[in-house]
Amino acid sequence: MPDYLYPILGAVLGLVIGSFLATIVSRWPEGKSVVSGRSRCDSCNQPLHARDLVPVLSYLARSGKCVYCGAAIKSDHLMIELGAGLIGGMAMFVSPGMAGLWGAIFGWLLLTLAALDAQHHWLPDRLTLSLAATGLVSSLFVENPDILSRLVGGVTGFLTLFLIGWGYHKLRGREGLGGGDPKLLGAIGCWLGWSALPLVILGAALAGLLAALMMRMRGQVVMADSMLPLGGFMAIVAFPLWIIQTMTGGILL
């Protein structure tokens, strides 16, 4: 297949997968099954047909409203579909073929975790462990970084934030990090290797500062105990770092 078709294929595949990822984000926190049961309108509970579930197009065709009751549909679903399509297209553009597919999987898992953390402050262990496992498995198909760098990255990433969170709790007597954040950084290390971890933490910190600044500009009160999704920020930073790493042959620092 010509290389120029890979980004198109990746984008289309991403849109389809994005619809499923959006279902995970909306259903899983409520304890609902993500693989069984028909999709329904959140407002009128009307079962949705296949024509109502075409990624992006159904939303645009209905002007963002339920065709049955006219209620506005949350834009979250659309944003996740578009994000997954963009991830698939970019991954296949940077690296057409198997490496690009693995990169897309990395990005799709990160997107799901970022959305769950942003909306529910929740990083499910099953999803984080899946991210770590696929990172290690991908080393069988992708040369850089090597398996040793990934293993060291997994252990170092987890221990770094775990010890920071433990020390903060001892000093301040309250939780400073969510329990899922160290696991997520370790999982990212299983993909990007140990050398990328400082950049992940730095990028997440800058993203957090920007988010806090935007909250202040909107008139929201930002205090020391305000909850910000560190895991989501790390997830957002990690995929661009994978792109840079892939384009430079594994070199980040």
Side-chain angles (χ1 to χ4, degrees):
M1 185 168 64
D3 283 354
Y4 68 85
L5 291 180
Y6 279 99
I8 299 174
L9 177 62
V12 173
L13 181 60
L15 291 174
V16 175
I17 290 178
S19 183
F20 176 67
L21 300 182
T23 301
I24 291 177
V25 173
S26 63
R27 286 189 180 185
W28 199 359
E30 297 178 0
K32 299 178 180 178
S33 172
V34 298
V35 295
S36 63
R38 292 185 58 181
S39 297
R40 297 174 179 270
C41 172
D42 293 333
S43 298
C44 65
N45 206 37
Q46 172 69 31
L48 302 178
H49 300 284
R51 63 177 178 272
D52 304 316
L53 300 172
V54 180
V56 178
L57 295 180
S58 292
Y59 184 94
L60 297 178
R62 311 295 192 221
S63 299
K65 297 180 180 179
C66 173
V67 68
Y68 303 104
C69 67
I73 301 173
K74 293 181 180 180
S75 61
D76 299 356
H77 204 108
L78 175 66
M79 294 297 101
I80 292 175
E81 288 179 348
L82 289 173
L86 180 62
I87 287 169
M90 291 178 65
M92 287 294 193
F93 175 78
V94 170
S95 184
M98 183 60 70
L101 179 59
W102 279 107
I105 292 171
F106 179 47
W108 292 330
L109 288 171
L110 289 172
L111 175 63
T112 310
L113 286 160
L116 286 169
D117 199 25
Q119 295 182 25
H120 306 284
H121 295 286
W122 184 42
L123 296 169
D125 284 348
R126 278 187 287 175
L127 204 56
T128 306
L129 291 175
S130 296
L131 182 68
T134 51
L136 296 178
V137 171
S138 69
S139 67
L140 301 175
F141 305 92
V142 182
E143 182 178 355
N144 292 309
D146 59 44
I147 185 62
L148 180 59
S149 178
R150 293 171 189 253
L151 288 171
V152 174
V155 174
T156 304
F158 172 78
L159 288 178
T160 298
L161 286 191
F162 176 81
L163 292 175
I164 290 174
W166 178 82
Y168 184 90
H169 184 267
K170 287 294 183 182
L171 288 173
R172 304 297 298 272
R174 66 187 185 197
E175 298 294 335
L177 289 174
D181 293 331
K183 299 171 189 175
L184 178 56
L185 184 60
I188 291 172
C190 290
W191 276 91
L192 301 181
W194 64 269
S195 65
L197 296 180
L199 293 178
V200 174
I201 295 174
L202 176 61
L206 292 175
L209 289 174
L210 180 60
L213 178 61
M214 294 177 65
M215 291 170 64
R216 291 289 296 272
M217 292 175 64
R218 291 196 298 263
Q220 296 176 254
V221 177
V222 181
M223 302 178 66
D225 58 354
S226 296
M227 293 183 65
L228 292 173
L230 174 62
F233 296 143
M234 291 192 298
I236 291 172
V237 170
F239 183 68
L241 287 177
W242 174 85
I243 291 178
I244 296 171
Q245 188 180 65
T246 302
M247 293 179 66
T248 58
I251 300 173
L252 280 174
L253 294 176

